[in-house]
Amino acid sequence: MASLGLSAAEREAVEAFRRDVVEPSMTSLVILDFWAEWCGPCKALTPILEKVAAAYADKGVVLKKINVDENKLIAAQFRVQSIPTVYALFQGQLVADLTPARTESQLKQYLEQILKQLPVQGEAQAREAELEPLVAMGEEVLAGGDSARAVGIFSQLIEMAPEEPAVVSGLARALVGAGQLDEAEALLAALPDEARKDAAIARAQSAVALAREAQPVDDLGALQRRIAADPADLDARFELAGGLMAAGDRDGAADQLLAIIAADRGWNEGAARARLLKLMEVVGLEDPWTGATRRRLSALLFT
């Protein structure tokens, strides 16, 4: 922001803006709120901005308020024509117009989208970077089938970050793998409603639900013989899929569920497709197995 030709008061305002807004924006996401004492809508918006900024403080979000009557030059530089006007700044650059967000949920939605795209440096991001390799190690152990060891790893991590979705999800799924379904359900039930919307938590919830559905079968061979005698016995196929899942045979379970979908897409109100989607979510949407299974499902549904 140029300062040539400005009065002493204007130069002071520019310097204050650089110090209080631009410099913090080098690492933080600054919510810039243009307001005035006489502006009723501004006063109504202020508590919402303050509440959300406080909630996102550990993610590197900072609220700065600019009184347009006292900082006319700054307001003019940002071409503020009406108030309230709310912008998001990062590294000295305008990155988003937050003015349309007038509710807490709308503002949070904006911030979540912005924070996913920018390298904002907050305590939460630093903690996540520290946890990432440890979570990856726990996931690798869990994927290798050592659920008991995975429980131990994630139990230690949850002491470090009790509200981190990836950690809670990992522990819940490890508990499921270890056969401790009640403990997994209790862990997830204790989460606040907002946390349950996270994709990692949804994955853990699917793991619990799938484990409840997929009851062990004493004699898988008997079901396989029933199906060999009558390939159209979809009840037997569905029961076999559950037994195979309980036994850890996801390939065999997927084969049976896909066979049901191929025979009758709407069978039992789409139970086979719903179970297959749940299985893919539990395995992980980025897992190569899930990608291959999704392609098999798409081939059935769209051909």
Side-chain angles (χ1 to χ4, degrees):
M1 188 177 291
S3 59
L4 293 176
L6 300 180
S7 68
E10 288 173 332
R11 285 197 298 272
E12 184 179 343
V14 169
E15 181 55 34
F17 184 81
R18 284 176 176 162
R19 181 184 65 248
D20 299 336
V21 177
V22 176
E23 289 181 11
S25 79
M26 291 299 105
T27 56
S28 300
L29 182 70
V30 177
I31 299 176
L32 197 55
D33 175 29
F34 290 92
W35 70 290
E37 287 287 355
W38 47 264
C39 173
C42 297
K43 293 181 179 180
L45 184 60
T46 291
I48 296 173
L49 292 173
E50 291 177 344
K51 181 179 180 181
V52 172
Y56 280 74
D58 70 334
K59 295 184 178 181
V61 175
V62 179
L63 174 64
K64 299 292 182 180
K65 299 178 70 63
I66 303 294
N67 187 316
V68 296
D69 291 334
E70 298 173 357
N71 297 275
K72 293 180 180 178
L73 176 64
I74 304 299
Q77 289 286 332
F78 281 88
R79 299 178 182 177
V80 175
Q81 297 179 338
S82 63
I83 54 175
T85 290
V86 184
Y87 291 141
L89 263 66
F90 182 64
Q91 296 184 341
Q93 301 295 316
L94 177 65
V95 295
D97 182 357
L98 305 179
T99 307
R102 296 301 178 93
T103 67
E104 183 179 339
S105 62
Q106 289 172 343
L107 187 57
K108 286 182 176 180
Q109 195 169 27
Y110 271 96
L111 291 179
E112 290 291 347
Q113 293 172 351
I114 296 169
L115 291 171
K116 287 178 182 177
Q117 299 171 13
L118 299 176
V120 177
Q121 299 174 25
E123 291 180 10
Q125 289 88 340
R127 184 169 60 248
E128 186 176 335
E130 182 183 357
L131 285 172
E132 189 173 348
L134 301 175
V135 170
M137 179 178 68
E139 290 288 355
E140 184 177 352
V141 170
L142 182 56
D146 193 345
S147 298
R149 185 176 168 220
V151 168
I153 293 171
F154 282 111
S155 293
Q156 292 180 24
L157 293 180
I158 209 163
E159 292 181 6
M160 298 169 53
E163 297 181 358
E164 176 60 40
V167 173
V168 177
S169 174
L171 179 56
R173 287 180 289 110
L175 288 168
V176 169
Q180 298 174 256
L181 294 184
D182 291 341
E183 290 84 347
E185 284 185 330
L187 177 66
L188 297 175
L191 294 172
D193 291 340
E194 189 69 23
R196 295 177 194 176
K197 298 177 183 177
D198 190 279
I201 301 303
R203 181 184 179 190
Q205 290 173 323
S206 291
V208 172
L210 202 59
R212 291 294 187 196
E213 293 176 13
Q215 297 298 321
V217 174
D218 293 332
D219 190 354
L220 294 175
L223 286 172
Q224 291 166 337
R225 288 190 292 275
R226 273 179 60 186
I227 294 167
D230 181 8
D233 188 344
L234 304 188
D235 289 294
R237 286 191 182 277
F238 194 71
E239 186 178 351
L240 178 60
L244 291 170
M245 283 191 293
D249 184 359
R250 66 186 184 189
D251 291 320
D255 288 343
Q256 294 303 322
L257 294 171
L258 287 165
I260 294 171
I261 295 167
D264 183 353
R265 296 181 188 179
W267 177 80
N268 198 14
E269 299 182 346
R273 182 172 180 269
R275 179 174 282 187
L276 182 60
L277 292 175
K278 200 174 293 182
L279 176 60
M280 289 191 288
E281 183 177 28
V282 171
V283 172
L285 299 181
E286 303 303 321
D287 191 282
W289 181 88
T290 298
T293 305
R294 187 187 294 115
R295 287 190 291 274
R296 292 176 66 189
L297 176 61
S298 297
L300 288 177
L301 296 177
F302 301 108
T303 57

